[in-house]
Amino acid sequence: MIPLTQIVSSPPLLPVRSRLHSHTHRRPNSSFVPLLFKTPRTHLSLPPRSSSSSSSSPSPIDDTIELPLFPLPLVLFPGAILPLQIFEFRYRILMHTLLATDLRFGVIFSDAGVVAPVGCVGEIVKHERLVDDRFFLICKGQERFRVLDLVRTRPYLVARVAWLEDRPPPNGSSSTTDEDNLDSLATEVEKHMRDVIRISNRLNGKEPKEDADTMDLRRNLFPTPFSFFVGSTFEGAPREQQALLELEDTAARLRREKDTLRNTLNYLTAASAVKDAFPSSPSSS
């Protein structure tokens, strides 16, 4: 199985892609290098659940389901679009089952043969079956889930999972105040994104079609889906994306993204200053 995506060769801090308006396709960009991944055939084992997860109340048994899993070296967020090519025999078997029944499966980050404890449901919104029985899919991220245990590993992974949602505000707090605080935090994150895009375009010598300072990056999204959208732009840093996906607090996710964007902005600002101080000499003819 190959994700037809492009992942940024990131500097020490996380760049944000200048293409932030579209979730529906991925445009070629000279600053990104295409990487093709194949699902590793190594033995997959779940890491033990951390003790922190025991502090939250367990989900009722009726809220758990069995879900087939696709381990990939990338992270899918709710609302994001993921194109895939399916060619491995075990996943072709699964595709025939999904297309005849439920179009949903679990996309879960796999690193060195270990799958993460939290993933995101991918729903097939478009598909094309080729003559050699390969499939091209377009999937959209839906609900997050936590893996409770593996049901089976052959011919593909199937796990018992529970749905994962952000925790509500603590008891006694004003919902209006919380919403205002979240909205303010989301506005700050959007501003940092604009700044990163503006300086990144300048460094790359691009002429953007739209002024970064006037870009509507939130597009009327509420803070929680906006936080997922921001996380989906941190391509090339799957461990950081996985940490964001696992957070169960919208404010905590936005604050972490704000810090990441601020660090990225500092990095790009320094790089821009160096470029201005030492402009590259004209290439000889």
Side-chain angles (χ1 to χ4, degrees):
M1 179 167 51
I2 299 177
L4 305 178
T5 183
Q6 292 182 315
I7 296 182
V8 65
S9 299
S10 60
L13 303 177
L14 302 180
V16 176
R17 300 181 64 171
S18 58
R19 189 266 319 137
L20 290 173
H21 273 304
S22 174
H23 273 292
T24 57
H25 62 280
R26 302 177 184 272
R27 304 176 193 168
N29 188 318
S30 59
S31 63
F32 299 95
V33 292
L35 299 179
L36 298 182
F37 293 100
K38 181 176 180 179
T39 305
R41 293 186 177 273
T42 53
H43 176 69
L44 298 176
S45 60
L46 280 174
R49 277 178 282 173
S50 62
S51 58
S52 60
S53 62
S54 61
S55 60
S56 58
S57 56
S59 300
I61 191 66
D62 291 341
D63 288 343
T64 67
I65 66 166
E66 290 187 5
L67 189 69
L69 301 182
F70 278 12
L72 287 169
L74 53 82
V75 178
L76 177 65
F77 283 87
I81 295 296
L82 176 66
L84 293 173
Q85 179 185 171
I86 308 298
F87 64 90
E88 290 185 64
F89 180 69
R90 52 181 168 168
Y91 292 122
R92 283 187 277 141
I93 294 175
L94 176 58
M95 282 302 105
H96 287 284
T97 302
L98 292 178
L99 293 175
T101 56
D102 192 349
L103 297 177
R104 301 182 305 162
F105 59 93
V107 175
I108 197 159
F109 176 57
S110 175
D111 183 27
V114 177
V115 295
V118 171
C120 179
V121 170
E123 182 177 12
I124 301 172
V125 294
K126 290 184 180 180
H127 74 278
E128 178 184 0
R129 181 181 175 185
L130 305 182
V131 292
D132 58 359
D133 209 30
R134 286 182 296 128
F135 289 88
F136 286 107
L137 308 178
I138 301 294
C139 309
K140 184 174 183 179
Q142 303 292 343
E143 304 92 341
R144 292 178 298 160
F145 60 85
R146 182 179 297 279
V147 176
L148 303 179
D149 55 67
L150 290 180
V151 176
R152 68 173 188 267
T153 59
R154 295 180 183 277
Y156 45 80
L157 289 177
V158 177
R160 187 169 64 89
V161 307
W163 303 125
L164 184 67
E165 296 183 356
D166 280 4
R167 292 187 295 267
N171 293 334
S173 62
S174 169
S175 59
T176 302
T177 302
D178 290 327
E179 289 175 3
D180 290 343
N181 291 339
L182 281 178
D183 194 69
S184 176
L185 189 54
T187 299
E188 292 182 58
V189 170
E190 183 184 25
K191 180 181 181 303
H192 283 313
M193 291 179 74
R194 288 198 190 100
D195 292 339
V196 168
I197 294 170
R198 175 173 48 79
I199 298 182
S200 179
N201 285 336
R202 182 172 178 270
L203 277 172
N204 293 328
K206 294 181 179 178
E207 292 294 335
K209 296 180 180 180
E210 184 177 358
D211 185 1
D213 291 331
T214 61
M215 292 177 68
D216 179 15
L217 302 178
R218 282 192 63 179
R219 296 162 299 159
N220 296 321
L221 289 174
F222 288 108
T224 297
F226 178 65
S227 72
F228 291 138
F229 167 67
V230 176
S232 71
T233 67
F234 292 170
E235 295 188 4
R239 290 188 182 89
E240 175 64 17
Q241 288 184 309
Q242 182 64 33
L244 293 169
L245 187 74
E246 293 183 16
L247 287 175
E248 299 178 54
D249 184 287
T250 301
R253 188 180 302 109
L254 286 169
R255 283 194 294 267
R256 181 161 180 160
E257 290 167 345
K258 177 183 172 182
D259 290 342
T260 297
L261 288 166
R262 185 165 51 205
N263 290 337
T264 303
L265 185 59
N266 291 338
Y267 172 87
L268 294 175
T269 301
S272 180
V274 170
K275 183 177 181 180
D276 290 342
F278 303 98
S280 58
S281 58
S283 59
S284 58
S285 56

